[in-house]
Structures are given as C-alpha cells and as structure tokens.
Amino acid sequence: MEVSPLRQVRKEKGAKKTKWVLKLKFGVTWKAIKKASSSTMKLNRFRLTCASSMKQLSLVRVQAEEAVKPIQQAHTKKKASHHVTKSLLSLLQLPYTASDFIDWGDLMTPTKSPKENISTKWREIHGLHNWDNLLDPLHPWLRREIIKYGEFAQATYDGFDFDPLSEFCGSCRYNRHKLYEELGLTNHGYKVTKYIYAMSHVDVPSWFERSHLGETWSKDSNWMGYVAVSNDEESERIGRRDIVMAWRGTVAPTEWFTDLKAMLERIGDGKIKVQHGFRSIYKSKSEFTRYNKLSASEQVMEEVNRLIKFYKAKGEEISFTITGHSLGGALALLNAYEAATSIPGLPISVISFGAPRVGNLAFKEKLDEMGVKTLRIVVKQDIVPKFPGFICNNILHKLNFVTKKFNWVYRHAGSHLKLDMFMSPYLKRESDLIGSHNLEIYLHLLDGFLSERRKFRWNARRDVALVNKTTDMLIEELRIPKFWYQLPYKGLVLNKHGRWVKPSREPEDVPSPLSVASENELH
C-alpha cells in the first residue's frame, strides 16, 4: 500500500488573516511548526521526532516542495513564517543538515552499510564477468566492497607522517599492529602483516616526503603501503582468504603530473611498455639502504608468496586484491602484472581510484590475457586519470579508427565507474582540480551513487564530515571545519617541565624493515 505523508494542503480564511495549514502523515501541522520556530530547541526536537519518518519524507520531497511554494509566497512579509519555511525546505532538500553533526547519542545512525554474506557471489563482485550489470545501477554489495578497499587505501594517507619537521617524516606513524585500530578500521576484519617501502631518490618529480632535519629514520626510503589478510570471520563472509596490497598515492597530484615525462619503458620481451617513473618506484633498490635492500616489488611478492603458501597448506581458496589511489593506482597495476606473471591461476583484482594511465595497448591486452580484473573508479572533474599523454591521447582519440593499435599510445586497463562531483548535494559547485582528486571525495560519491541517471541516494551511510578531512569541499551550510584532520596542537605535547615539545615515538612505532606477521599471528 502506497503511503503519502502529504495528506492535504488547505487554505483557511479567518476574520483577520489567511492561514495555510500543511498537514503531514506523521501528524504535524504548519501551525505547529510555526509555533515551534520560536525556540531553536523545539525545532531541533521536532526534527528528531521526524527522523523516524525520513524515509517516507524522502519519497515525497518533490510533492512537498511544490506544496510549500504557495506558503512561501503568502508569508514573504512575515519574518517568522519565512524562517520556518526555509527550515522546512532545508529539511526536505538534504538528508543531512548542520544538526546532524551534533552528537545525538543513540538517536544517530551507523556510518557503515550492513555487511552481507557474499561468499557465493564473490567472483562476480571481483570482476568475473567484468562487472557487467553491476555498475549501472551500482549493486549495493559491490558498493560496500569497493568502499572497503578504498578505506584501506585511505589508511596509507591517514597513517603517513607528512611533517617535514619530524625525524620520522616519510614513515607510518603507527606500527602495523596498531594501524587499523588507530584509524578505526578493525571492523573490516583484516590484519596487517607487512609494511612496504620504496626508494625516495628515484628519477621522478617531488613525489616523496623528506625530513628537513639532519638525522632521520631514513634518507632513502618512504613508506608506500602494506600487505594485509582477512581474518577467519571475514574470510567466511567473503568466501575466500583475501590478501590485500594497499599502495599509497600522492597528496598534491596536479603539480607533478604536469611535470611527468610521458616516457614509455619496455618490460620483458615483446611490445609491452609502461611509464618509466612508475616502474622506477616499483623496482628501485640499493644495498646501501636499510629499507630498500629489496625493491617494493620484491617486498610485496615475498610476503604474498609467504601468505599463499601458508593458507594453501590449510586447503583454503585465496584471492589477491590490490588497491591504490592516484600514484598508488599505477603501482597497483604493475603489482598485478607481476603477480599474474609469477603466480598463474591466482584470482587477482585491482580496485583503483583516480589512477593515471600506466602502459600501452600491449600492456593492457596482456593484463586481460592473464585474467587480471581491473575496476577503475574515476571522477569526471579529476584530471589525473587523463595523464600521462593528456594532449596526445585527446587528439588521437578522435582518430581512434587509425590509432587504436598504436603501441606508443597510453591506454587505460579494465572497466571503469565514472562519478560526478555535481551529483552530491553536499559538495560545493566550484571547480577544484585538487579537491576532485581527493580520495575521501571519491568514497563520498561512491556511497551516494545509484546510477548515472539517478540522484544521490538519500540513505547514504558514510560520514559526510570525512570529505573535509583534508579539503574545503563541503557546502558552508553544514558548518564542518575545513582541513580538520590534524594532530592535536600540530603534534606538540606538554612535557612534565611545562614545555611544549615534539614527542619521541614509542619504540614499537619506530619503523622497522624486518617486521612481518608470524605464523602464530595468522592463525
């Protein structure tokens, strides 16, 4: 039976003035709303009372807005009534308002969508059929899994020490045992088993962070991500033991992508080529360093092979999922290529966010041939996925019937899901190239995406405030501080002598190149 919250809108003529009465299904009249407006507290209580009916209310927003229009016109000269009308319209237009960011305790809803058992469908969700009929409209199970891997990639930013005045700049602020706990990701059911480091003195633009101090934890390396594995409970839910590699990207991409040399470098035999800078990060090593005696490539594959051996001995089905944002998405593809080459038959998926092009057509075709499933999440306003080869590829795209087989042209691999910043009612309508590349923007848009032709979903669960962690992209009406994610007192602490100082790290949080999970931890 269809339920309509709007019962009637009627005009009542009195002796002195005209009254408009808007009656809602949950028994609130316009007169009652007008009376409540005299007190902010009462209006807040009214909103909370209505919260249980928000689902019904969202179904009739359009009807409600049309009904309110004559009310606005009739009360344009009455400030009190106009204030209430504006409040009601805000309530009808946005699932979130400023009061949603006040702590209402038990009345608030969870920030995560419910977990579903996907054990019988995990292969389809990881691209068995190249995500046909799962992207538009976006299947809710797929949405949740993509966001999960996106949050693993986001952890590489949230845990990274960007402070140039820190002796540990370029490392992770937490040891691998504490990373998920400190960042609130333990509910995903994964355990970090190894940290991965890459050389920071490779032939690329300024992609790495370095301390301005004389003595640092490492002058040669940066923390580039981690390997994790699903625990028993999560493995049962998702239908296999999932090994994850999360690659860190870069914070300010627009500058270094304009300087990026579009030089392709041959790998192996044949015509396969990839971007030189990406490969140098993935493959560089030096015997004279502490953290990169092995390259990032060798570190990852050594740990993945160790985990596969351990869980295969227990008779378990295993998958390898690689995720990354920006530069991390490029490294994820190189990682997938190597894993597919060296471990035939292993189900490998890449979930990337705002990733650039990595290789040529032969590289793309080889990934397809080896069964690597790649899903690229891109935002329409983000310029990074258009690089390298922005100008060249745009021109050649118009001559695709001639150039589609050129091996010196960059090609994207796999399937893609395109999002649009303008679909979210919470984001500013201004063009911000850096803001549109932010991973939290990607995750926000994903959480609200239903299909290309439908609006932002009204029941999106992910916390909208996360968008402004490192941006200023939320509309002012929400009153969320910009760039709010930072250490208290910018990292200073008050010591026992009453002096503000840079704290030393706990011994277990000092970077170590040898830290890997023991077999006892994996049980």
Side-chain angles (χ1 to χ4, degrees):
M1 177 175 145
E2 186 177 355
V3 179
S4 176
L6 275 178
R7 283 186 176 172
Q8 57 183 345
V9 177
R10 68 177 186 273
K11 187 176 181 181
E12 295 182 349
K13 291 186 177 180
K16 295 183 178 180
K17 58 184 178 180
T18 299
K19 297 180 182 178
W20 287 87
V21 179
L22 173 65
K23 194 158 185 180
L24 303 177
K25 178 70 178 177
F26 32 84
V28 181
T29 65
W30 179 257
K31 186 176 180 181
I33 298 173
K34 186 176 176 182
K35 186 176 180 181
S37 69
S38 61
S39 166
T40 303
M41 185 60 71
K42 288 182 180 180
L43 187 57
N44 284 337
R45 287 175 183 168
F46 160 72
R47 191 176 182 283
L48 288 172
T49 303
C50 296
S52 62
S53 302
M54 281 301 293
K55 184 173 182 178
Q56 292 181 341
L57 185 59
S58 68
L59 297 175
V60 292
R61 267 190 204 128
V62 175
Q63 300 154 279
E65 288 171 357
E66 291 300 318
V68 171
K69 282 181 182 177
I71 301 174
Q72 276 188 297
Q73 295 168 0
H75 292 275
T76 50
K77 295 182 180 180
K78 301 177 182 179
K79 284 188 177 181
S81 297
H82 181 68
H83 174 74
V84 177
T85 304
K86 188 175 179 181
S87 299
L88 182 60
L89 280 171
S90 298
L91 179 66
L92 295 171
Q93 289 169 354
L94 291 175
Y96 283 99
T97 67
S99 63
D100 279 284
F101 302 97
I102 298 173
D103 190 356
W104 297 108
D106 293 340
L107 292 171
M108 303 189 83
T109 57
T111 60
K112 305 288 183 184
S113 299
K115 283 188 176 184
E116 303 284 353
N117 188 309
I118 64 170
S119 57
T120 60
K121 296 291 184 181
W122 76 264
R123 290 185 180 275
E124 287 86 345
I125 289 173
H126 275 254
L128 177 64
H129 303 301
N130 298 315
W131 294 280
D132 288 346
N133 302 316
L134 293 178
L135 297 177
D136 193 9
L138 182 59
H139 195 289
W141 293 6
L142 177 57
R143 177 193 294 111
R144 194 189 186 288
E145 293 303 296
I146 295 173
I147 290 176
K148 175 180 77 175
Y149 294 114
E151 290 182 342
F152 289 159
Q154 181 64 41
T156 64
Y157 293 123
D158 294 344
F160 190 66
D161 190 342
F162 291 102
D163 184 3
L165 298 180
S166 166
E167 63 180 303
F168 298 107
C169 180
S171 71
C172 182
R173 291 189 284 120
Y174 315 107
N175 69 63
R176 64 176 179 81
H177 302 286
K178 293 167 57 178
L179 181 67
Y180 280 174
E181 180 181 353
E182 291 287 344
L183 302 181
L185 296 177
T186 54
N187 62 313
H188 285 316
Y190 283 70
K191 179 187 290 291
V192 178
T193 66
K194 185 176 177 63
Y195 278 175
I196 306 301
Y197 298 89
M199 291 283 289
S200 55
H201 289 285
V202 293
D203 182 23
V204 293
S206 300
W207 292 351
F208 295 99
E209 301 294 328
R210 297 184 179 91
S211 175
H212 292 176
L213 303 179
E215 295 186 6
T216 69
W217 69 285
S218 173
K219 295 181 180 179
D220 308 292
S221 304
N222 261 209
W223 179 63
M224 283 306 293
Y226 59 88
V227 179
V229 65
S230 56
N231 62 22
D232 291 345
E233 182 181 355
E234 178 69 0
S235 296
E236 183 177 352
R237 184 187 77 83
I238 61 178
R240 83 282 184 196
R241 187 72 64 171
D242 187 31
I243 301 170
V244 171
M245 176 62 216
W247 289 97
R248 183 174 64 82
T250 48
V251 182
T254 51
E255 292 83 6
W256 58 259
F257 263 100
T258 57
D259 295 332
L260 183 61
K261 297 175 183 177
M263 183 170 60
L264 284 164
E265 175 182 325
R266 190 184 304 277
I267 57 174
D269 300 325
K271 300 178 180 179
I272 298 174
K273 296 181 180 181
V274 296
Q275 204 279 329
H276 167 74
F278 300 149
R279 188 170 186 271
S280 66
I281 295 171
Y282 187 64
K283 287 290 188 179
S284 292
K285 63 181 179 178
S286 171
E287 283 294 326
F288 302 103
T289 64
R290 184 182 180 194
Y291 296 88
N292 279 113
K293 295 183 187 302
L294 297 179
S295 66
S297 157
E298 291 168 329
Q299 294 169 56
V300 175
M301 294 312 301
E302 181 180 78
E303 180 65 1
V304 169
N305 279 306
R306 186 183 75 86
L307 293 172
I308 289 174
K309 181 180 178 181
F310 178 81
Y311 289 111
K312 270 195 172 180
K314 299 173 69 176
E316 297 190 31
E317 189 169 16
I318 303 165
S319 67
F320 185 29
T321 308
I322 315 170
T323 187
H325 167 254
S326 189
L327 168 64
L331 298 176
L333 269 187
L334 294 175
N335 193 177
Y337 176 85
E338 181 176 19
T341 303
S342 60
I343 316 174
L346 177 66
I348 300 172
S349 302
V350 174
I351 310 293
S352 69
F353 303 84
R357 301 183 182 103
V358 177
N360 63 357
L361 178 63
F363 178 67
K364 172 188 180 298
E365 291 177 339
K366 187 62 176 179
L367 287 171
D368 292 339
E369 179 187 319
M370 295 188 294
V372 173
K373 302 300 180 180
T374 302
L375 178 59
R376 297 182 299 108
I377 316 300
V378 297
V379 169
K380 180 180 177 181
Q381 291 77 12
D382 186 3
I383 196 172
V384 171
K386 299 177 175 64
F387 284 94
F390 176 64
I391 298 175
C392 180
N393 277 61
N394 277 355
I395 295 173
L396 294 176
H397 180 71
K398 298 176 181 178
L399 303 172
N400 190 55
F401 64 95
V402 175
T403 63
K404 62 182 178 180
K405 289 295 182 181
F406 285 180
N407 263 311
W408 49 269
V409 178
Y410 280 95
R411 301 287 183 179
H412 272 304
S415 306
H416 76 277
L417 173 62
K418 183 176 284 189
L419 307 172
D420 189 337
M421 285 185 66
F422 294 161
M423 81 175 188
S424 170
Y426 309 109
L427 299 180
K428 293 177 180 177
R429 291 296 187 267
E430 57 193 45
S431 178
D432 183 341
L433 296 179
I434 295 178
S436 64
H437 186 61
N438 187 278
L439 181 52
E440 286 290 0
I441 295 279
Y442 270 78
L443 300 180
H444 166 69
L445 294 175
L446 262 171
D447 196 38
F449 182 81
L450 290 170
S451 71
E452 286 190 8
R453 297 186 178 183
R454 297 174 66 182
K455 292 183 178 180
F456 199 87
R457 68 184 184 119
W458 71 270
N459 59 343
R461 293 293 188 90
R462 201 163 190 276
D463 195 344
V464 175
L466 293 172
V467 169
N468 266 14
K469 280 169 73 173
T470 56
T471 71
D472 182 22
M473 297 301 295
L474 287 176
I475 56 175
E476 300 296 334
E477 289 83 350
L478 295 177
R479 302 176 187 175
I480 301 300
K482 59 184 178 181
F483 302 99
W484 58 261
Y485 190 76
Q486 54 185 286
L487 294 175
Y489 309 111
K490 296 193 174 181
L492 294 182
V493 296
L494 190 64
N495 70 9
K496 63 181 181 180
H497 302 295
R499 296 184 182 277
W500 289 96
V501 296
K502 282 274 187 182
S504 58
R505 282 195 185 178
E506 295 295 329
E508 64 268 21
D509 290 332
V510 174
S512 170
L514 304 176
S515 177
V516 296
S518 66
E519 290 192 1
N520 289 333
E521 286 183 67
L522 295 175
H523 278 294

